[in-house]
């Protein structure tokens, strides 16, 4: 199974346990970067590693919107 396929389900499970969609997104991005000392990721800012998922919808209000992928960038390169 490709890396990251289960992440969408995991985000939905977090929301199902009481996390807000924003808290679930932070739990999958900024917080692990902070915990593991990865200073170049977990945020969108100039000079940082750019891994980005563009989706249809608003995952901050409906976490299932992360399943509606439009574009993906890894290390600043669109894939």
């Amino acid at each position: 199974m490709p890396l990251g396929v289960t992440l969408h389900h995991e985000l939905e499970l977090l929301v199902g346990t009481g996390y807000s969609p924003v808290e679930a997104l932070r739990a999958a991005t900024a917080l692990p970067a902070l915990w593991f000392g990865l200073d170049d990721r977990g945020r969108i800012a100039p000079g940082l590693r750019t891994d980005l998922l563009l989706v249809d919808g608003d995952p901050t209000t409906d976490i299932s919107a992360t399943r509606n992928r439009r574009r993906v960038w890894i290390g600043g390169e669109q894939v």
Side-chain angles (χ1 to χ4, degrees):
M1 184 173 295
L3 184 65
V5 169
T6 62
L7 180 60
H8 307 287
H9 182 64
E10 293 172 19
L11 289 169
E12 291 165 1
L13 288 173
L14 286 172
V15 170
T17 65
Y19 281 58
S20 72
V22 170
E23 290 170 328
L25 291 167
R26 284 188 185 130
T29 57
L31 292 178
L34 177 67
W35 293 331
F36 289 107
L38 303 171
D39 298 330
D40 66 335
R41 44 194 101 180
R43 297 173 288 128
I44 300 171
L48 299 184
R49 178 183 167 95
T50 305
D51 294 343
L52 187 65
L53 175 66
L54 177 66
V55 300
D56 276 332
D58 182 357
T60 67
T61 60
D62 176 10
I63 200 64
S64 68
T66 64
R67 294 180 179 269
N68 304 322
R69 294 181 311 272
R70 297 290 294 175
R71 292 195 178 130
V72 176
W73 290 265
I74 298 174
E77 299 290 324
Q78 186 174 335
V79 294

